[in-house]
């Protein structure tokens, strides 16, 4: 699909550095007000949930698609245009994933350095649902040129890398955090950069992530919940043939 000048600029940054930062409003999505309202409701519900021993909380799949405009947001023509131009192939879209990262300071799981392994090139849009400062759990990454050097030195293939192992290879002053106010949109290729969810320390971080790969990814990650027939029908409702072709096989 054709891109406008602003979209070209965003993808040039992702290509060069692995990340580009903008805002949800600047993306020009067609149902942005409905999507924001749905996200506000989910944030309220997550904020009222006691985390217990968990470092990350997310809504149930049923709650996530209660307002289907949120799940379908990643099928907006402007987002599909960005994803397809960046990946260079017809894309598969995986829906919206909403998270609450608890400010417990723990460095576990995806709070450690890694690259995503689903495909050779991926496209993600992360949106901050509250103000995210330097200690607020922002996406932290090593810019793409430096990632290439680090991967060679670490002999990295996949899995997690601790801060202690990363520091001699890439010093902390070169680690970049994608901070920003509420409704900041972070565009990234997590398969091309070493990155992590930096540990939230001073406040919980709320976010939504939209993900695309090619239609024949290297690896498909398992999911714990299956969509019901009614849920699959709701997700497909009103979609064009082009949008339907972007859904995972399990939703068709």
């Amino acid at each position: 699909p054709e891109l406008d000048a602003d979209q070209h600029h965003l993808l040039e940054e992702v290509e060069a550095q692995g990340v580009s930062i903008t805002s949800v409003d600047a993306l020009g999505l067609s149902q942005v007000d409905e999507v924001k309202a749905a996200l506000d409701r989910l944030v309220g519900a997550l904020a009222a949930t006691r985390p217990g021993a968990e470092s990350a909380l997310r809504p149930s799949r049923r709650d996530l698609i209660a307002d289907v405009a949120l799940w379908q947001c990643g099928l907006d023509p402007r987002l599909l245009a960005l994803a397809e131009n960046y990946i260079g192939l017809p894309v598969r879209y995986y829906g919206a994933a909403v998270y609450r990262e608890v400010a417990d300071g723990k460095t576990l799981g995806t709070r450690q350095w890694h690259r995503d392994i689903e495909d050779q090139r991926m496209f993600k849009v992360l949106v901050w649902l509250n103000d995210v400062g330097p200690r607020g759990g922002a996406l932290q990454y090593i810019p793409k040129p430096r990632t290439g050097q680090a991967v060679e030195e670490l002999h990295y293939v996949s899995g997690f890398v601790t801060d202690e192992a990363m520091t001699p290879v890439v010093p902390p002053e070169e680690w970049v955090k994608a901070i920003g106010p509420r409704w900041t949109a972070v565009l990234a290729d997590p398969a091309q950069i070493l990155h992590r969810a930096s540990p939230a320390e001073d406040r919980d971080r709320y976010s939504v992530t939209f993900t695309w790969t090619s239609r024949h990814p290297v690896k498909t990650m398992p999911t714990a919940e299956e969509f019901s027939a009614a849920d699959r029908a709701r997700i497909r409702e009103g979609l064009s043939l082009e949008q339907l072709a972007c859904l995972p096989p399990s939703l068709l």
Side-chain angles (χ1 to χ4, degrees):
E2 292 187 5
L3 300 177
D4 61 30
D6 290 339
Q7 290 175 308
H8 271 296
H9 175 68
L10 292 172
L11 292 192
E12 286 170 355
E13 288 189 328
V14 176
E15 189 67 61
Q17 298 298 320
V19 169
S20 182
I21 300 176
T22 182
S23 70
V24 169
D25 291 333
L27 292 174
L29 308 181
S30 59
Q31 291 185 291
V32 66
D33 291 336
E34 295 174 60
V35 170
K36 284 182 176 181
L39 288 167
D40 282 341
R41 288 191 288 272
L42 289 172
V43 167
L46 286 176
T49 303
R50 297 189 64 174
E54 298 176 273
S55 292
L57 304 176
R58 56 189 303 177
S60 69
R61 184 167 284 180
R62 184 166 296 278
D63 289 340
L64 190 63
I65 65 168
D67 189 334
V68 77
L70 171 58
W71 205 97
Q72 292 181 346
C73 179
L75 297 168
D76 184 285
R78 287 183 62 82
L79 286 181
L80 285 180
L82 286 169
E84 290 191 344
N85 272 273
Y86 179 75
I87 292 175
L89 293 166
V91 295
R92 177 181 292 180
Y93 167 61
Y94 295 87
V98 176
Y99 295 95
R100 172 188 171 188
E101 291 283 342
V102 179
D104 56 14
K106 295 179 181 178
T107 307
L108 303 168
T110 55
R111 295 182 179 186
Q112 301 174 91
W113 296 101
H114 64 285
R115 291 191 305 185
D116 290 9
I117 59 173
E118 288 91 326
D119 215 346
Q120 301 291 342
R121 287 169 74 88
M122 298 175 62
F123 191 68
K124 283 194 177 186
V125 175
L126 299 84
V127 177
W128 302 147
L129 306 181
N130 63 315
D131 295 346
V132 177
R135 300 176 66 235
L139 172 75
Q140 190 168 38
Y141 66 98
I142 295 171
K144 188 176 175 181
R146 222 36 193 103
T147 282
Q149 298 168 0
V151 164
E152 289 190 12
E153 190 166 340
L154 290 165
H155 305 290
Y156 179 84
V157 178
S158 64
F160 295 124
V161 179
T162 65
D163 285 0
E164 291 74 19
M166 185 64 72
T167 296
V169 177
V170 182
E173 56 267 27
E174 296 185 48
W175 305 352
V176 182
K177 288 185 177 180
I179 62 174
R182 184 183 183 216
W183 305 124
T184 291
V186 181
L187 284 57
D189 180 351
Q192 295 290 317
I193 54 171
L194 287 162
H195 65 282
R196 65 173 181 165
S198 61
E201 298 174 284
D202 62 352
R203 64 186 303 184
D204 293 357
R205 186 258 279 171
Y206 295 84
S207 65
V208 60
T209 303
F210 304 95
T211 302
W212 302 260
T213 66
S214 73
R215 291 186 189 166
H216 300 282
V218 173
K219 182 177 178 63
T220 300
M221 304 302 285
T223 56
E225 294 181 83
E226 295 294 331
F227 286 109
S228 68
D231 290 339
R232 294 196 297 271
R234 289 191 68 241
I235 286 171
R236 295 193 302 265
E237 186 176 359
L239 298 181
S240 68
L241 292 176
E242 291 80 4
Q243 290 170 318
L244 287 168
C246 299
L247 296 180
S250 62
L251 292 177
L252 297 177

